[in-house]
Amino acid sequence: MSSEIIVVKGNNTLAGDVNVSGAKNSALKLMAASLLGQGASTIHNVPVISDIEIMSEVLERLGAVIERSGHSLRVDTSQVDRCETPYELVSKMRASISVLGPLIGRFGKAHVAMPGGCQIGARKIDMHLVGLEALGVEFDVDHGVLVAHTPNGLRGTHVMLEFPSVGATENLLMAAVVAEGTTFIENAACEPEIEDLANMLNAMGAQVTGAGTSQIEVVGVPLSAMHPCEHTTVGDRIEAGTFLAGGALTGGPVAVHGIDPAYLRMAIMKLRAMGCAVETGADWIRVSRAGDLTCTDIQTLPHPGFPTDLQAQFMLLAAVAEGTSVITENVFENRFMFAAELMRMGADITIDDHHALIRGVAGLQGAPVSSTDLRAGAALVLAGVVADGETRVHHIEHIDRGYEDYVGKLSRLGADVARVSAADAR
Ligand code: UD1
């Protein structure tokens, strides 16, 4: 738990330009992928956030040497000689399981603690396992540790995912690149971060085509053909979407830079449907709003559908929009905890299973609130910017997991926001 809280003074607005960091959900997997190229890979545009520190720890436990210089990470995996990832790390960050595929690819075996439940639903890993089994991996569970081995090596195959899981697609991809023969992944996740991962794997010597679509083809190469590389992480579409939500909430204009607008087509469509003007350039998006926010219905879906990671931020917009909106969460169970906190600030929301009915209110009131996960935390700080009075956001360790310098970036957009020691704030 963080020893700090974020204090936001309300009745305010956001305007200006903000640079988006590299995508958390890409950089974590790019770091894992570096296990496949024995030597030092350099990954640029890596955000300074706590999840990256945890992934660094995961790789260091395996024997990697990691050096950070600004936003570049040099990940030297030449001395990696272990294949165990303990529970204490997997329980801190579920994405630690993305070392499973590359460890199997490199060593033919892996010992990775099973991730436990998580605040946003059950988040199983059955699809990771079914897909890897099809490639020839055998699994046992030994006292909570998933023990993977490949008695007959990795063999290319056809895998049809039951659901386009991001993590399962990535783990499969990272094992399949060094399997013997060709692997086809059908119903693959299409998120831009998958394409980014495939681009890095290809720069390391892999032969992946179709990443970013639902059909990926991987022509296996020998492990010895994989080598280190230099790669730049794509911009973080969720961070960009969060600041755009901030602009839409306050009227803006807010422009986000360092992001391909194609990654956010559905979110941009919803911003326009809610009454915002959105302009785009090659690597920037600007939002502004002159009239009132209007209600809209949103369903979260795998990419290119509306991202679940922007659901809380858009629930905030719906909470102060004219009319009634319905938000349907299709990706994760139990991802409406944010609604309860927003209701403490005066929002009018009814939850029924995976639907939220949001009746827009004229304004929000500042209140003490708690981040329930990282996106909810970011959205609560935004809510504080427009609320009447002061909002104190607790459990900001969730925000630190995924947003680099969130308070600094918001301050530069004009927010009156500060990190304060929880002890001093009492
Ligand atoms: C990734 C992102 C997360 C994002 C999510 C969906 C990272 C580190 N995290 O998470 O921010 O919200 O994609 O865009 O990249 N499922 C199963 N069995 C499996 C795998 C998944 O039932 O084997 C279910 C999950 O419980 C969840 C849904 O499928 O309900 C989507 O999960 P998935 O796409 O795998 O998300 P993550 O990779 O965990």
Side-chain angles (χ1 to χ4, degrees):
M1 186 178 150
S2 177
S3 57
E4 292 179 316
I5 63 168
I6 292 178
V7 178
V8 201
K9 300 252 169 30
N11 307 103
N12 201 354
T13 190
L14 299 174
D17 296 83
V18 59
N19 289 323
V20 169
S21 300
K24 166 181 93 71
N25 288 352
S26 237
L28 291 171
K29 323 306 167 60
L30 301 174
M31 290 171 73
S34 65
L35 287 167
L36 287 164
Q38 301 181 33
S41 287
T42 302
I43 309 169
H44 301 292
N45 203 25
V46 177
V48 180
I49 51 175
S50 64
D51 269 10
I52 295 291
E53 282 169 32
I54 298 173
M55 185 53 97
S56 298
E57 218 180 305
V58 168
L59 295 178
E60 281 164 356
R61 290 285 184 99
L62 300 169
V65 177
I66 301 185
E67 285 165 36
R68 186 187 264 280
S69 165
H71 288 94
S72 296
L73 276 195
R74 184 175 182 275
V75 186
D76 187 347
T77 63
S78 48
Q79 304 302 320
V80 168
D81 57 359
R82 292 186 290 279
C83 57
E84 292 97 35
T85 300
Y87 182 68
E88 67 191 85
L89 292 176
V90 179
S91 62
K92 270 196 214 164
M93 186 184 69
R94 195 189 130 86
S96 308
I97 59 155
S98 52
V99 294
L100 184 61
L103 281 178
I104 291 170
R106 178 153 169 181
F107 296 109
K109 58 181 185 172
H111 293 203
V112 177
M114 302 274 285
C118 153
Q119 287 196 321
I120 52 173
R123 301 191 81 167
K124 294 183 290 188
I125 56 163
D126 53 322
M127 285 183 248
H128 299 235
L129 305 190
V130 169
L132 289 167
E133 274 169 355
L135 283 169
V137 184
E138 292 184 6
F139 290 102
D140 295 306
V141 177
D142 183 20
H143 297 276
V145 175
L146 194 62
V147 180
H149 47 106
T150 49
N152 302 306
L154 288 168
R155 297 175 309 272
T157 188
H158 264 85
V159 180
M160 164 85 117
L161 290 176
E162 205 178 307
F163 178 90
S165 152
V166 172
T169 303
E170 291 165 340
N171 256 330
L172 270 175
L173 191 55
M174 288 190 276
V177 289
V178 292
E180 200 182 315
T182 301
T183 301
F184 296 94
I185 310 175
E186 282 184 74
N187 199 24
C190 304
E191 271 68 3
E193 293 78 24
I194 308 263
E195 199 177 345
D196 200 23
L197 173 62
N199 287 342
M200 171 151 164
L201 290 168
N202 286 343
M204 296 171 81
Q207 292 184 23
V208 181
T209 49
T213 76
S214 59
Q215 183 109 12
I216 301 179
E217 183 178 336
V218 187
V219 178
V221 299
L223 181 62
S224 57
M226 297 292 288
H227 49 77
C229 76
E230 198 166 333
H231 181 85
T232 300
T233 315
V234 293
D236 195 316
R237 65 197 161 96
I238 305 302
E239 187 197 8
T242 302
F243 285 112
L244 291 174
L249 181 71
T250 61
V254 167
V256 292
H257 298 265
I259 188 71
D260 182 343
Y263 295 171
L264 280 162
R265 276 168 51 212
M266 188 62 75
I268 290 172
M269 205 171 98
K270 289 296 172 187
L271 287 171
R272 288 183 174 138
M274 297 185 91
C276 300
V278 184
E279 294 166 78
T280 60
D283 68 345
W284 59 266
I285 308 169
R286 183 188 298 116
V287 68
S288 59
R289 178 174 58 80
D292 288 339
L293 274 171
T294 49
C295 56
T296 194
D297 294 341
I298 293 177
Q299 338 191 11
T300 66
L301 284 169
H303 192 79
F306 189 89
T308 177
D309 288 349
L310 286 177
Q311 185 246 100
Q313 300 87 320
F314 277 65
M315 181 181 281
L316 167 62
L317 297 183
V320 292
E322 274 214 339
T324 299
S325 307
V326 177
I327 296 186
T328 304
E329 174 57 60
N330 293 310
V331 179
F332 288 110
E333 330 159 16
N334 194 20
R335 209 185 189 179
F336 282 141
M337 286 98 64
F338 167 70
E341 293 304 301
L342 201 56
M343 281 157 75
R344 303 184 62 253
M345 297 179 73
D348 182 352
I349 304 173
T350 305
I351 305 289
D352 183 9
D353 190 23
H354 66 301
H355 303 287
L357 185 80
I358 304 131
R359 296 174 203 85
V361 294
L364 298 171
Q365 298 145 24
V369 287
S370 272
S371 302
T372 49
D373 69 51
L374 91 143
R375 306 304 170 188
L380 286 169
V381 177
L382 292 182
V385 173
V386 289
D388 185 33
E390 186 179 277
T391 295
R392 294 173 169 223
V393 183
H394 296 257
H395 290 290
I396 61 170
E397 65 278 5
H398 291 293
I399 300 175
D400 294 336
R401 283 185 45 211
Y403 288 87
E404 175 177 333
D405 190 22
Y406 193 47
V407 161
K409 289 183 183 186
L410 283 172
S411 299
R412 290 189 284 281
L413 290 174
D416 186 343
V417 57
R419 295 175 75 106
V420 174
S421 143
D424 294 348
R426 269 187 216 124

